[in-house]
Amino acid sequence: MKLHASDSFELRGVLPASAVWAFGWGAMLALDGRLDLANIAMVLVLASALATLWLPISLSLLLTALSVAAFNWLFVPPRHTFAVDLRQDALLLAAMLGVSWIVAGVVTRQRMLASRARHHARQAEQLRSLTEALRDADDPLQRGGLLRDALAEVLGQAPKLLLLRDTMPSSDQPSAVVVIGDPDDHERSGLWHCMRQGHAFGPGTGRHADLPEWYLPLRGRGSAFGAAFVRLNLAERADDALRTQAQALCDQMGLVLQRALHARAASVAREQAQAQGVRNALLAAISHDYRTPLATIMGAASSLVEQGERLSVEQRRHRAQTIVDESVQLSRLTDNTLQLARLDAPGVQLQLDWESAEEIVGAVLRRVRSRDVQHRVHARLEPGLPLVRCDALLLTQMLENLVDNALKYSAAPAPVEIVVRRQAGCVVLAVRDRGSGVAAAWRERIFDAFQRGERCGAGLDDQARRGAGVGLAVCRAVARAHGGELKLRPRAHGGSSFECWLPEQAPPPCADAEGGIAQPAESRP
Amino acid sequence: MSLRVLLVEDDRELRMMLRDALAVEGYEVHTAASLSEGLALLGGLAARSGRSADTGTDLVLLDLGLPDGDGEALLAALRQRHAIPLIVISAREGDGQKIHLLDAGADDYLVKPFSIGELLARMRVALRHRGTAVAPAVTTYQRGPLSIDLAAHEVRLHGAAVHLTPTEFKLLARLVRTAGQVVTHRQLLADVWGPECTEQTHYLRLYMAQLRAKLESDPADPQLLLTEPGVGYRLAD
């Protein structure tokens, strides 16, 4: 259905108009002889006025003139002639014709105004519904179909559309736009040109008026964000109202696209600002973490340099040991920081292999042994654990961090346990301590790189608690990089259990190569 | 005659410190601060020794990031002609790098920072295996309750014979021959299972687990069959 207005003759108006005239004439014939001429004439004027409601003005005027002539023929003496005897009858006929024509004119004009108002209302309604539909769309780029449908409703045919994805590219890259309606190469370049210029082309636009088509830009503020192409028939070429409406719809889309573009730009900027903020906080936290061991090293080393002569052998040895210990601390901090940066980078590649949890735990025990003089760390592994698809170095680093943490946050001689078990389709690597636990408010924040559980763990000196921040953040990053998660679970009788849940994967086929690999059970005594 | 060590390291402080520390241990240390200097020194020492097959050096300590090139070039040049031990000391810690260098012929790889004690221990191990091509291969191993005699095909724990499957024995024997040194997964798989199996690391996991179950008192906390995560295995020395 075409929406564009037509006040032209409509067939369905003929029926009621004919009925009115038929009824009018019936009444006049019936009243002939009972009422005087002037009264019967009123019936004709009434019928004429009523019929005008449905008929176009030309037909109304014609029918009224014919009716007045017929009235003259039938009722005005001398009857059955067009001659008029009395002057007053002549006046009557003239008044009938005049009044009827004026009424027809007024009614038609009224009808035209009403129809135009309806038309405007329909156009406004269409614009409004398009705007609303677009506003509800998350990504207006995906909703080009809405504009196409709206334009099709106006124009009677589907237009071809070009929608700009992002900012205007320097060349006409197909990847920079969404195309709807499959335009040919000529139309496509026309659409690009129209979008770049931000002007409409075609009949009535003042540009390329000889074209048999319109190129309408999807204008936002300042520039266009797409273009529409529509082929025209002869009548439509001159229809300014049609073009105005189509352009309004196009501009609506242009504004929405522009708004979406701005929103995206704003959100990117916001994310960047946020990332910058996180980075700054991280850098501040890391420098703080570095400063403490550095201060200790500085103190011990400068004491050796400046007081070396006056220190006892034992004191000198103690200073040197301090330097070694703190250097190890710094080195681990560096490892963690680098690892965090690496895991945070997009598209990080892990060195995945089938690893044995037992071996990883063994390597961790060996590494932490030097920091665990009281032998507090123990491992407990469920028998028959499957191989885990993981990056062994990363998991080792994660467990080492967790064990270091557990040693730091719980006082000797409370044990620290590494427990590996299967649960709910996962391999769970847990590090459990009997420390003071983590306050509920800190259970999530403790994994942020620049948070430390300063307020939980009273009773431990600040020295013992430093450096957990980056460490736990790395641990969580490691777990997540493996498609798993690191969780903190408070233990029933005090202490924490840090649990890394890794989804279990189907183990590799253990094909027996002729090199002598055999079923593992074969060699069991 | 003291053992001669060629130290190629561009950082002045670290070079001086290592030179002094090694000198204290009785090594004769020659230092180079760049790749070209290292290569020249290697040639010069060989010429002075007067023997064509000898480099005049007993061990090389090699940093990777040198001002005029990568230390790997020196490793390649050295390995073309000589089997003298070479230990890489580098701040690069990626395991891919470690595996690559070990497979390219480095005897060991130490990530900076490291302690002098650890460096000396690694050097002792490397020197013990010096010239494995000509010297009689290591065929016995003794540590704690475990004694292994490869020639006699015998493994004893607390004096009692331990039964190993042929593959388990081959794997253990490979580690014994380079006890104290890291053997990469790839090397182990190629030597024990064959060159076509170098990707099948899960074979290794299974057989190492079996060996640990038979030889370690606590397989979860191994003292003998040590794991170098992401790189390979090392038999404790």
Side-chain angles (χ1 to χ4, degrees), chain A residues 37 379 386 457:
Chain A
L37 199 61

Side-chain angles (χ1 to χ4, degrees), chain A residues 331 335 353-356 358-359 362-363 365-366 369 381 387 392-393 396 508-511 515-518 520 522-524, chain B residues 93 95 113 165 167-168 193 197 201-203 205-210 212-214 219-222 226-227 229-230 233:
Chain A
S331 170
D335 287 350
D353 202 345
W354 290 103
E355 303 285 350
S356 133
E358 187 180 76
E359 285 185 356
L365 285 177
R366 192 165 171 77
R369 207 50 94 202
L381 288 93
L387 292 181
L393 210 67
T396 311
C510 201
I517 191 85
E522 163 260 351
S523 58
R524 300 264 181 214
Chain B
E93 57 160 354
D95 13 321
T165 66
T167 307
E168 286 169 356
W193 279 274
C197 290
T201 41
H202 57 283
Y203 292 0
R205 312 280 175 228
L206 294 173
Y207 276 88
M208 287 305 290
Q210 286 169 205
R212 287 204 182 97
K214 290 180 181 182
D221 187 6
L226 308 178
T227 309
Y233 295 94

Side-chain angles (χ1 to χ4, degrees), chain A residues 81 106 130 144 166-168 184 190 194 207 222-223 225 261 299 380-381 423 449 461 478:
Chain A
T81 69
V106 168
L130 177 69
D166 211 312
T167 47
M168 187 78 78
D184 62 31
C194 173
R207 288 180 176 81
S223 66
F225 295 85
L261 193 67
R380 200 149 50 78
L381 288 93
Q423 190 177 333
D461 58 332
V478 168

Side-chain angles (χ1 to χ4, degrees), chain A residues 86-107:
Chain A
L86 298 173
R87 238 181 235 158
Q88 68 213 39
D89 288 346
L91 185 65
L92 178 72
L93 285 174
M96 276 169 67
L97 191 61
V99 167
S100 296
W101 276 6
I102 288 169
V103 168
V106 168
V107 167

Side-chain angles (χ1 to χ4, degrees), chain B residues 5 7 18-19 22 28 36 89 117 140 154 161 177 185 222:
Chain B
V5 173
L7 168 64
L18 287 176
R19 189 191 63 192
L22 292 176
E28 181 186 330
S36 51
I89 48 175
T140 59
E154 197 175 63
R177 278 193 279 274
H185 297 136

Side-chain angles (χ1 to χ4, degrees), chain A residues 175-410:
Chain A
S175 61
V177 289
V178 173
V179 177
I180 296 173
D182 195 26
D184 62 31
D185 285 349
H186 175 72
E187 292 160 357
R188 200 180 284 258
S189 68
L191 284 167
W192 270 100
H193 186 58
C194 173
M195 175 167 73
R196 284 187 186 284
Q197 297 295 312
H199 291 305
F201 302 127
T205 61
R207 288 180 176 81
H208 305 288
D210 49 334
L211 286 174
E213 59 234 358
W214 278 331
Y215 288 98
L216 303 173
L218 273 50
R219 293 178 302 197
R221 282 182 199 87
S223 66
F225 295 85
F229 164 89
V230 62
R231 202 172 290 284
L232 303 167
N233 58 38
L234 276 173
E236 288 165 334
R237 287 182 202 182
D239 195 339
D240 275 347
L242 190 62
R243 189 170 44 78
T244 310
Q245 172 68 1
Q247 184 63 64
L249 290 169
C250 286
D251 290 350
Q252 202 60 48
M253 187 76 189
L255 280 172
V256 170
L257 284 174
Q258 184 177 36
R259 204 154 46 227
L261 193 67
H262 285 171
R264 275 203 302 278
S267 118
V268 167
R270 210 164 34 242
E271 271 167 30
Q272 274 172 351
Q274 216 163 23
Q276 187 63 42
V278 169
R279 215 166 15 243
N280 288 345
L282 185 58
L283 281 177
I286 291 169
S287 352
H288 174 265
D289 284 355
Y290 270 84
R291 198 160 285 156
T292 325
L294 273 177
T296 317
I297 291 173
M298 180 74 150
S302 58
S303 156
L304 280 175
V305 169
E306 284 150 27
Q307 313 167 312
E309 308 292 301
R310 285 170 282 152
L311 295 174
S312 69
V313 174
E314 181 52 34
Q315 281 172 319
R316 278 206 293 271
R317 205 201 59 75
H318 182 74
R319 300 272 193 292
Q321 188 60 50
T322 305
I323 294 175
V324 171
D325 292 347
E326 292 300 310
S327 304
V328 170
Q329 186 74 25
L330 264 186
S331 170
R332 290 192 34 66
L333 194 55
T334 311
D335 287 350
N336 279 333
T337 311
L338 283 176
Q339 201 62 265
L340 191 63
R342 196 168 81 85
L343 290 174
D344 260 359
V348 55
Q349 286 285 318
L350 303 185
Q351 302 281 325
L352 293 180
D353 202 345
W354 290 103
E355 303 285 350
S356 133
E358 187 180 76
E359 285 185 356
I360 290 174
V361 169
V364 171
L365 285 177
R366 192 165 171 77
R367 285 190 187 201
V368 297
R369 207 50 94 202
S370 63
R371 281 163 270 160
D372 174 30
V373 279
Q374 286 137 310
H375 214 83
R376 290 163 58 196
V377 186
H378 301 279
R380 200 149 50 78
L381 288 93
E382 194 180 273
L385 284 169
L387 292 181
V388 185
R389 185 94 181 137
C390 66
D391 185 322
L393 210 67
L394 285 182
L395 273 203
T396 311
Q397 189 173 7
M398 179 191 77
L399 286 178
E400 197 180 344
N401 280 333
L402 291 178
V403 170
D404 266 357
N405 241 22
L407 287 172
K408 243 182 256 170
Y409 283 77
S410 66

